[in-house]
Amino acid sequence: MKPHQLFFHHYRSMYRPYTNTANDYLGKHKLFIAQWAVMKYIISSGPRTLVDIATYQQVEKPTITRTVQKLLELNYVEVIPGKDKREKMIQLTELGKQVSEEVEVTIEQFQLKALKGISSEEQIEVSRILEKVKNNLLE
Amino acid sequence: MKPHQLFFHHYRSMYRPYTNTANDYLGKHKLFIAQWAVMKYIISSGPRTLVDIATYQQVEKPTITRTVQKLLELNYVEVIPGKDKREKMIQLTELGKQVSEEVEVTIEQFQLKALKGISSEEQIEVSRILEKVKNNLLE
DNA sequence: AATATATGGTTACCTTTACTAACCATAAAA
DNA sequence: TTTTATGGTTAGTAAAGGTAACCATATATT
C-alpha cells in the first residue's frame, strides 16, 4: 500500500473509535463532541461569533447555529451583543464554566489515554501535518 | 494550547474538508467515500466477508451491510459463497473493476494534492501514529 | 441619497454515516 | 442435545453536516 493510501486509511479508521469514545466520556455531562468543541474554543479564545466558530471548525454556518442552540438549551452558553446589530457573540455562562472544569478533567484523561506512548513532539508534528493537509484541501 | 489538545483539534478540523472534497471527486462515479473505502479494501486484499470489512474500517456490521447493499445496487460488487453457509464474500464485478481503475486515478490525484509538501516519510510516520491512537482507543 | 452588494445569522429540507437492539441462520462448544 | 458464538440483516433512531433561500444589517458603488 502506498504511503498516501495508508495515510488516509488510518486517518479514517481512527475516526469512529475516537468519536464514539469521546462521546461516551462526554455523555456524563450531556454533551457531544461537536458541542464540546465549541465550548472548548470559546474557553480558550474568549467570546466568538458564529462565523468565527464555523471557520475555526471548518463547518458551515447552519451547523454551528444548531450546535450553539443545543448549548443554549443546556444553559452552558449565552449570547452577548457583538460589534454591530448582526453579530452575536457566544460566551460561557456560569453553569457552562462550572461544567467545563469537570469536562476538561474528563477529556484530558481521555486524550492522554488515547495518546499514550506518543511523545509531545510527535503530537505537535502530526498536528502540523494535519493542518497542512487541511490547508491544501481548502486551496 | 497543549499538544494533545492541538492534536485533536487538527484531527477534527481536517475532517470536513477531507470528506467533502473526496465526495466531490467521487461524485463523478456515483460513489461516496464510505463506499469507495470498501471497494478499495477488496481491491487490495481480495474478496472479504462483511465482518472483515467492518473490522478493517472500525464500524459496526449494519453499517457495512448497508454500504455493500449500495454497491450491489450499483453493480460494482457481487457476493460469492464463503467457507460456510453463513459467510458472504464480497468481490468486485467486472464493472466494478473498470470503474475502480478510473476512480483510482481520480483519488490518487486528490490524495497527492492533499499531501502536497508532505514527504513519504512524514506520511508513514503520521499513519503509524494514527494507528497507534486507534489501538489505544480500542483497548 | 439611493441602490447594489456583502456579511452574520436562521430556517427548512435533505443526506451521509453510523449506532443499538433484536433477530435469523448456521456453526462450534459443552 | 442443548448452549453459546458467529455472520449477517432489519428496524428504528441519531449525530452531524450540507445546500438553498432567506432576513436584517452593514458597506460599497453609482
Side-chain angles (χ1 to χ4, degrees):
Chain A
M1 213 174 180
K2 294 178 188 168
H4 62 271
Q5 294 171 338
L6 257 194
F7 182 97
F8 288 103
H9 167 63
H10 285 120
Y11 179 80
R12 270 176 53 80
S13 71
M14 192 191 112
Y15 190 73
R16 297 314 306 182
Y18 161 67
T19 303
N20 294 345
T21 312
N23 282 342
D24 284 350
Y25 276 85
L26 289 168
K28 252 201 291 194
H29 309 279
K30 300 189 182 172
L31 286 169
F32 290 98
I33 186 81
Q35 294 159 19
W36 172 245
V38 169
M39 291 179 72
K40 189 80 192 101
Y41 179 46
I42 63 182
I43 287 167
S44 59
S45 72
R48 288 288 163 186
T49 66
L50 299 189
V51 167
D52 286 340
I53 299 169
T55 304
Y56 184 67
Q57 317 248 352
Q58 290 301 317
V59 296
E60 298 301 319
K61 291 186 294 177
T63 301
I64 296 300
T65 297
R66 272 190 298 266
T67 304
V68 166
Q69 277 167 355
K70 281 169 207 147
L71 291 172
L72 287 166
E73 283 164 26
L74 289 165
N75 242 300
Y76 290 174
V77 302
E78 63 195 353
V79 177
I80 54 172
K83 70 170 189 296
D84 63 42
K85 284 180 186 167
R86 293 172 306 174
E87 276 192 1
K88 291 181 169 184
M89 304 292 280
I90 309 301
Q91 72 176 7
L92 289 187
T93 59
E94 270 313 308
L95 175 60
K97 284 180 198 165
Q98 285 169 33
V99 171
S100 294
E101 284 177 30
E102 295 170 41
V103 179
E104 293 213 291
V105 175
T106 306
I107 285 292
E108 174 139 31
Q109 179 193 342
F110 156 70
Q111 292 184 338
L112 293 179
K113 182 194 154 204
L115 292 171
K116 203 175 158 194
I118 298 161
S119 70
S120 295
E121 291 71 33
E122 287 173 322
Q123 293 171 30
I124 291 168
E125 176 76 349
V126 172
S127 300
R128 203 201 83 232
I129 290 170
L130 295 178
E131 188 182 16
K132 187 164 176 58
V133 174
K134 182 197 75 186
N135 291 332
N136 284 345
L137 288 169
L138 294 177
E139 265 170 24
Chain B
M1 212 173 179
K2 294 176 188 168
H4 62 271
Q5 294 172 338
L6 257 194
F7 182 96
F8 288 103
H9 167 63
H10 285 119
Y11 179 80
R12 271 177 53 81
S13 71
M14 192 191 113
Y15 190 72
R16 296 315 304 180
Y18 161 67
T19 303
N20 294 345
T21 312
N23 282 343
D24 283 350
Y25 277 83
L26 289 169
K28 254 200 291 194
H29 309 279
K30 300 189 181 171
L31 287 168
F32 290 98
I33 187 80
Q35 294 159 18
W36 173 244
V38 169
M39 290 179 74
K40 189 78 192 103
Y41 179 46
I42 62 182
I43 288 167
S44 60
S45 71
R48 288 287 163 188
T49 66
L50 298 189
V51 166
D52 286 341
I53 299 170
T55 303
Y56 184 67
Q57 317 247 351
Q58 289 301 316
V59 296
E60 298 300 320
K61 289 184 296 175
T63 301
I64 296 300
T65 295
R66 268 195 288 274
T67 303
V68 166
Q69 277 167 355
K70 280 169 208 146
L71 291 172
L72 287 166
E73 283 164 27
L74 288 166
N75 242 298
Y76 290 173
V77 304
E78 62 195 354
V79 177
I80 54 173
K83 70 170 189 295
D84 63 42
K85 284 179 187 168
R86 295 171 305 173
E87 275 191 0
K88 291 181 169 184
M89 304 293 280
I90 309 300
Q91 71 177 8
L92 289 187
T93 58
E94 270 314 307
L95 176 60
K97 283 180 197 165
Q98 284 168 34
V99 171
S100 294
E101 284 177 29
E102 295 170 40
V103 179
E104 294 213 290
V105 174
T106 306
I107 284 292
E108 174 138 31
Q109 179 193 341
F110 156 70
Q111 292 184 337
L112 293 179
K113 182 194 154 204
L115 292 171
K116 204 176 158 193
I118 299 161
S119 71
S120 295
E121 291 71 33
E122 287 173 322
Q123 293 172 30
I124 291 168
E125 176 75 349
V126 172
S127 300
R128 203 202 84 232
I129 290 171
L130 295 178
E131 187 181 17
K132 186 165 175 60
V133 174
K134 182 196 76 187
N135 290 333
N136 284 344
L137 288 169
L138 294 177
E139 264 169 24

